[in-house]
Amino acid sequence: MAENLFPGLFVGNFDHALDTQGRVCLPSDWRTKDSETELVMIPARNNALLLLPIATFMEFCGKAAKMAIANPKMQMALAYLGSESRRCRCDKQGRMALDKDKLASIGVDRKLKLIGAITHIRICAPENWQLPDSPDDYLNEIQQISESGEDFAGLLQGVLGK
């Protein structure tokens, strides 16, 4: 198994099928070497789910909790996120059970695509993953992030909506 030198670095994309128990095998490079990989599955836009490392999710929650103390809209956003999120752990063989209802909500029956999105994993039905004809818009976003120094929590807020 290849050692993951930077836990949370997810690159590449993989076509998979759920086994009979609703599990998918994570690529070895995406798992921690001690087989204790724990991720949090959250809803995303465009018929997808995201798998975040537990540490990344907890960092976001810490920042969001400070904002939610006196903000009813943020409190409801966190309630939504909490009610729709699921903890996922790999077994010793690297298989992770995924919530079948959540998968069905994004059009996944048996086949799915796991997309390495650098800091997280994107899950979608294979037919819902298309690379753009021209990646310029995405490259412009990457450039803007690079120039602004925006942190991941800010990016996640943008994904979830404010």
Side-chain angles (χ1 to χ4, degrees):
M1 175 166 62
E3 183 177 344
N4 191 346
L5 299 175
F6 177 64
L9 178 61
F10 305 103
V11 295
N13 65 77
F14 304 89
D15 291 308
H16 280 280
L18 296 171
D19 68 12
T20 57
Q21 295 177 346
R23 300 174 300 190
V24 66
C25 189
L26 284 185
S28 61
D29 285 350
W30 291 2
R31 292 181 254 144
T32 56
K33 70 178 186 177
D34 62 3
S35 298
E36 295 295 323
T37 302
E38 184 174 7
L39 302 167
V40 178
M41 185 169 56
I42 66 170
R45 294 182 178 160
N46 301 319
N47 291 316
L49 297 166
L50 304 181
L51 288 170
L52 304 171
I54 190 79
T56 302
F57 184 75
M58 295 307 295
E59 181 182 339
F60 166 76
C61 289
K63 291 177 181 180
K66 291 175 186 174
M67 295 174 61
I69 291 173
N71 184 332
K73 192 171 184 179
M74 180 59 85
Q75 291 169 6
M76 288 305 296
L78 288 178
Y80 168 76
L81 183 62
S83 68
E84 296 298 314
S85 298
R86 302 290 184 267
R87 290 176 85 155
C88 304
R89 292 183 183 97
C90 279
D91 65 15
K92 292 180 182 179
Q93 288 77 38
R95 298 172 301 196
M96 182 173 282
L98 299 175
D99 186 299
K100 289 182 182 181
D101 291 335
K102 296 291 173 209
L103 292 172
S105 75
I106 63 165
V108 170
D109 180 31
R110 182 156 154 58
K111 294 182 180 183
L112 64 131
K113 190 145 190 96
L114 298 175
I115 299 128
I118 309 300
T119 58
H120 60 278
I121 301 165
R122 185 175 184 86
I123 301 172
C124 65
E127 62 272 13
N128 290 336
W129 175 246
Q130 297 174 5
L131 291 174
D133 291 334
S134 171
D136 285 346
D137 288 342
Y138 300 109
L139 294 173
N140 289 339
E141 289 293 321
I142 292 167
Q143 181 179 351
Q144 183 180 0
I145 292 165
S146 178
E147 291 170 354
S148 73
E150 188 173 3
D151 66 5
F152 182 66
L155 294 174
L156 189 57
Q157 264 187 325
V159 169
L160 295 175
K162 294 184 179 181

